[in-house]
């Protein structure tokens, strides 16, 4: 009998469209690997739908019938017919940003006892917040650039961020959305206004004029953490933009990155340390900066673009085997349920209640 794998994509996020691309990519690769794949599309307005999609246009142009659905007891059910559609053996999260990447989907899957190939709720929520992510990395002894966190209406000194120029970015967004570089007070005010359009909190970071953007991914196979080759991403501007990431015909990057072996090893060790220390699952991608000969952790993506397949091999066969490894690891590493104490308080004729309540018969 085939293993039923639900692939979740879409969601209420600025990265909704990118998530659809990643999701359909994963759907077809896993079908080619012999799994029974269940595409689960999360519309922008909320909820979820079963859609037997094969290409992006099936979603964007509604070429396949969407069946409103919900999860209950490890199964996908039809909302209208109250009928079971599929039992789900494992799930793959392809939702970039929003409630897909911040741990909400992970919590829903865990509540339904569905093994999933992505980090748990706590880790997802911490690293979705770039400020908390830097605090977490610093706690492991991994260098991070100077930065401050600001809420709307607050004023703050930029000395802790190194002074001008600085990078201003929304704390919980990805894909370079809402990011600007500020060289003076006027540009800083404009950058804050722009970032606060997308988030309630912004991060103000030290800006390195001469820096290199390096990515490294990690996943677990056979119980061992595997790190990818390094990728260097280039930009024609002060920062890598959404347009350069997703809308240019050719991606400007070098794989593997041309960095000294000692530096490459340092980055891989930092990536593995984060993965191991926080008991991550599935695949994550850590983004680093190299400036003035030093390595700085930038952020961790718990649902990275294309699930970082390309960092672990060039061919579709490599990608298919990689995604299969994520699914099999999820199936093989289910945490053993610990004992839950049933107090039987409600079965008692007398309820003492919580602290401070009176005993009543």
């Amino acid at each position: 009998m085939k293993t039923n794998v639900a692939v979740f994509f879409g969601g209420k996020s600025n990265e909704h469209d990118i998530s659809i691309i990643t999701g359909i990519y994963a759907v077809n690769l896993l079908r080619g690997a012999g799994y029974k794949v269940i595409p689960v599309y999360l519309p922008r307005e909320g909820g979820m739908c079963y859609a037997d999609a094969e290409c992006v246009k099936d979603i964007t142009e509604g070429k396949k019938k969407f069946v409103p659905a919900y999860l209950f007891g490890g199964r996908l059910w039809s909302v209208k017919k109250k009928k079971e559609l599929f039992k789900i053996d494992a799930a793959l999260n392809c939702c970039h940003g929003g409630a897909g990447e911040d741990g909400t989907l992970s919590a829903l899957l865990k509540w339904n006892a569905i093994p999933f190939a992505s980090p748990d709720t706590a880790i997802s929520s911490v690293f979705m917040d770039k400020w908390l992510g830097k605090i977490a990395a610093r706690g492991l002894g991994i260098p991070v650039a100077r930065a401050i966190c600001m809420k709307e209406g607050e004023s703050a000194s930029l000395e802790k961020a190194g002074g001008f120029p600085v990078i201003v970015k929304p704390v919980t967004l990805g894909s370079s959305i809402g990011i600007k570089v500020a060289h003076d007070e006027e540009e800083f005010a404009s950058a804050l206004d722009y970032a606060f359009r997308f988030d309630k909190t912004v991060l103000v970071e030290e800006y390195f004029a001469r820096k290199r953007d390096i990515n490294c991914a990690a996943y677990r196979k056979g119980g061992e953490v595997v790190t990818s080759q390094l990728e260097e991403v280039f930009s024609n501007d002060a920062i890598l933009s959404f347009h350069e990431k997703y809308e240019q015909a050719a991606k400007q990057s070098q794989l593997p990155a041309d960095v000294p072996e000692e530096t490459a090893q340092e980055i891989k060790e930092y990536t593995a340390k984060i993965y191991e220390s926080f008991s991550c699952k599935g695949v994550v991608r850590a983004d680093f900066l190299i400036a003035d000969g030093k390595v700085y952790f930038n952020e961790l993506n718990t649902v990275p673009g294309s699930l970082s397949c390309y960092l672990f091999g060039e061919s579709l066969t490599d990608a298919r085997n990689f995604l299969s490894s994520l699914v099999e690891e999820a199936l093989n590493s289910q945490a053993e349920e610990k004992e839950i104490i049933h107090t039987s308080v409600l079965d008692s004729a007398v309820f003492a209640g919580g602290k401070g309540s009176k005993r009543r018969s």
Side-chain angles (χ1 to χ4, degrees):
M1 180 178 289
K2 288 186 177 182
T3 300
N4 289 353
V5 180
V7 176
F8 290 80
F9 55 93
K12 188 177 181 181
S13 164
N14 290 296
E15 300 170 85
H16 176 95
D17 293 352
I18 307 304
S19 175
I20 292 175
I21 296 172
T22 298
I24 296 299
Y25 178 66
V27 164
N28 289 315
L29 285 172
L30 289 174
R31 280 176 175 159
Y35 295 99
K36 169 62 179 177
V37 181
I38 305 160
V40 183
Y41 170 57
L42 309 182
R44 281 190 174 91
E45 60 271 19
M48 62 179 62
C49 301
Y50 166 66
D52 192 17
E54 297 178 352
C55 65
V56 171
K57 286 186 177 180
D58 287 342
I59 302 297
T60 59
E61 298 180 6
K63 291 189 174 183
K64 295 287 184 177
K65 183 179 179 182
F66 292 175
V67 180
Y70 64 96
L71 292 176
F72 181 76
R75 289 166 166 77
L76 190 69
W77 297 73
S78 167
V79 170
K80 294 181 179 179
K81 296 184 177 181
K82 300 295 189 291
K83 175 184 177 182
E84 178 185 327
L85 298 174
F86 300 99
K87 176 183 180 296
I88 300 176
D89 298 313
L92 184 66
N93 181 4
C94 296
C95 298
H96 306 306
E101 191 170 353
D102 70 359
T104 302
L105 180 58
S106 295
L108 181 62
L109 294 170
K110 187 173 183 178
W111 180 257
N112 282 274
I114 298 173
F116 52 95
S118 59
D120 286 325
T121 300
I123 304 309
S124 299
S125 60
V126 165
F127 285 101
M128 185 72 176
D129 185 309
K130 295 179 175 63
W131 176 245
L132 295 181
K134 289 180 182 296
I135 293 173
R138 190 184 294 118
L140 294 177
I142 299 174
V144 299
R146 291 179 289 182
I148 59 173
C149 191
M150 294 180 62
K151 291 182 170 59
E152 286 189 86
E154 288 184 342
S155 59
S157 170
L158 296 186
E159 291 182 7
K160 291 184 178 180
F164 290 119
V166 292
I167 295 179
V168 180
K169 63 176 70 171
V171 163
T172 62
L173 268 65
S175 295
S176 300
I177 296 172
I179 300 179
K180 284 189 175 184
V181 176
H183 298 84
D184 53 40
E185 290 290 349
E186 184 178 351
E187 289 185 354
F188 183 55
S190 175
L192 286 177
D193 287 341
Y194 182 58
F196 279 129
R197 286 171 51 187
F198 306 100
D199 209 337
K200 295 179 180 180
T201 312
V202 304
L203 191 65
V204 182
E205 297 178 325
E206 179 178 8
Y207 174 71
F208 299 105
R210 296 181 180 179
K211 49 89 177 170
R212 301 174 67 182
D213 292 280
I214 307 294
N215 301 333
C216 181
Y219 75 109
R220 193 182 302 274
K221 185 175 183 180
E224 299 294 324
V225 177
V226 179
T227 54
S228 73
Q229 56 186 329
L230 304 188
E231 175 190 32
E232 179 170 10
V233 183
F234 305 106
S235 174
N236 294 320
D237 298 314
I239 53 175
L240 183 64
S241 67
F242 181 91
H243 169 72
E244 289 177 312
K245 281 186 176 181
Y246 300 114
E247 296 176 348
Q248 287 191 161
K251 187 176 182 180
Q252 296 179 319
S253 66
Q254 183 172 345
L255 187 66
D258 183 16
V259 299
E261 181 59 35
E262 183 178 342
T263 303
Q265 188 60 33
E266 182 182 5
I267 290 174
K268 289 184 177 183
E269 288 177 358
Y270 287 155
T271 304
K273 189 173 186 178
I274 291 172
Y275 196 101
E276 194 72 74
S277 298
F278 292 105
S279 300
C280 291
K281 297 191 302 182
V283 61
V284 302
R285 193 193 74 227
D287 298 347
F288 295 87
L289 303 175
I290 299 178
D292 301 323
K294 296 180 180 179
V295 173
Y296 299 93
F297 169 80
N298 192 30
E299 62 183 79
L300 187 78
N301 297 271
T302 56
V303 185
S306 302
L307 297 182
S308 289
C309 288
Y310 64 96
L311 293 179
F312 294 96
E314 297 180 355
S315 70
L316 288 177
T317 299
D318 291 333
R320 185 166 57 241
N321 293 339
F322 168 68
L323 292 184
S324 297
S325 294
L326 297 185
V327 171
E328 294 305 316
E329 190 68 23
L331 289 168
N332 296 331
S333 61
Q334 297 182 59
E336 180 183 349
E337 287 288 339
K338 294 296 183 179
E339 181 181 358
I340 298 176
I341 296 176
H342 298 280
T343 62
S344 301
V345 169
L346 298 180
D347 296 333
S348 174
V350 179
F351 174 56
K355 183 178 180 181
S357 65
K358 294 182 179 180
R359 183 183 181 91
R360 296 179 180 179
S361 62

